[in-house]
Amino acid sequence: MTGPVRVLVVDDEPLTAASHAEYVERSQDFRAVATAVSGRTAVQAVQAARRAGQPVDLVLLDVNLPDMSGLDVARTLRARGESVDLLVITAHRDVATVREATTLGVVGYLIKPFTYAVFEEKLAAYRSYRSALGTGGAVGQAEVDRAFAALGSPVRPSAPKGLSAGTLAAVTDLVRGGEWLSAGEVAERSTLSRVTARRYLEHLAERGLVHRRSRYGTPGRPELEYGWAG
């Protein structure tokens, strides 16, 4: 993948569109090039960018728009020959909407509300998908399989200097299980010391991937416990 992924953010609420654009800018290798608050302006923005020689790579597409459904925007873009990738962002949880979005070839479906950690995970998966397919020419079955697998697989958070990627992945899996865990409990379920477990949990918390809260009801000072932000 060469250059940042160019992203158009589409949402009927200007503040939400601006917030999602800020999320895009915080994500590695992504750039928010424009926002749109209606279906018509979204279609126009995609076409104008292509004509200008700076095509949009990915559209973050809300379903509820004032002039047409986001799914109708997707149909319009496909009918006009636009091959831009689409990631649906919506509060709609009904199976019919999800299935309809799938038939339109979306690369992801993100349900509101969500945290930045979940958003970043979706963009990282999309980045892996683009990297697996390359920039042109033909691909083999292995590349196709890797690309589609990337879209459905959670991306592991990267480990900074001094932390092990393997240990970080193991701690992440423990917290993703749904329980709120203290550093001591993570240590008990792994081979880590309590101090080391806390280092990894604090790293995840600093990245916004887990939340911290105080656990009361035990003797002494309240103990911190950590829960998955997604």
Side-chain angles (χ1 to χ4, degrees):
M1 184 174 67
T2 58
V5 176
R6 297 172 56 81
V7 181
L8 169 66
V9 179
V10 184
D11 197 286
D12 66 325
E13 293 289 341
L15 288 178
T16 302
S19 175
H20 292 172
E22 182 181 345
Y23 275 9
V24 170
E25 291 292 333
R26 287 172 59 187
S27 302
Q28 181 182 357
D29 298 326
F30 288 85
R31 179 186 170 200
V33 295
T35 60
V37 294
S38 72
R40 181 177 60 84
T41 55
V43 172
Q44 290 175 343
V46 170
Q47 293 186 304
R50 177 177 52 77
R51 287 194 295 266
Q54 296 181 320
V56 171
D57 299 306
L58 178 66
V59 177
L60 304 185
L61 185 60
D62 190 14
V63 170
N64 291 328
L65 298 172
D67 51 348
M68 67 174 81
S69 161
L71 299 181
D72 287 332
V73 172
R75 291 189 194 89
T76 301
L77 290 171
R78 297 299 184 235
R80 297 185 182 183
E82 300 292 348
S83 59
V84 62
D85 289 326
L86 307 170
L87 195 162
V88 172
I89 297 182
T90 180
H92 284 273
R93 298 167 178 262
D94 58 287
V95 173
T97 301
V98 175
R99 283 179 172 168
E100 191 172 359
T102 302
T103 66
L104 295 168
V106 302
V107 295
Y109 196 102
L110 187 54
I111 298 175
K112 298 178 181 178
F114 50 83
T115 64
Y116 171 70
V118 174
F119 180 89
E120 183 186 35
E121 195 171 83
K122 285 290 184 185
L123 290 196
Y126 174 72
R127 183 173 60 237
S128 298
Y129 162 80
R130 284 176 60 90
S131 296
L133 286 181
T135 57
V139 294
Q141 187 64 52
E143 289 81 11
V144 172
D145 289 345
R146 280 197 297 269
F148 280 94
L151 290 177
S153 301
V155 177
R156 302 293 184 187
S158 58
K161 186 175 180 180
L163 298 185
S164 160
T167 302
L168 182 58
V171 172
T172 300
D173 284 340
L174 284 173
V175 186
R176 284 180 75 113
E179 291 183 76
W180 284 78
L181 299 173
S182 67
E185 289 164 340
V186 169
E188 289 173 2
R189 300 183 190 191
S190 64
T191 59
L192 304 176
S193 69
R194 181 191 295 261
V195 172
T196 301
R198 186 182 299 280
R199 284 181 60 209
Y200 282 89
L201 289 167
E202 284 296 317
H203 169 68
L204 293 173
E206 288 167 5
R207 289 201 59 200
L209 293 170
V210 302
H211 296 310
R212 305 181 191 91
R213 71 183 184 190
S214 295
R215 178 187 291 177
Y216 295 94
T218 56
R221 295 173 53 190
E223 186 174 21
L224 281 179
E225 59 181 7
Y226 303 79
W228 187 248

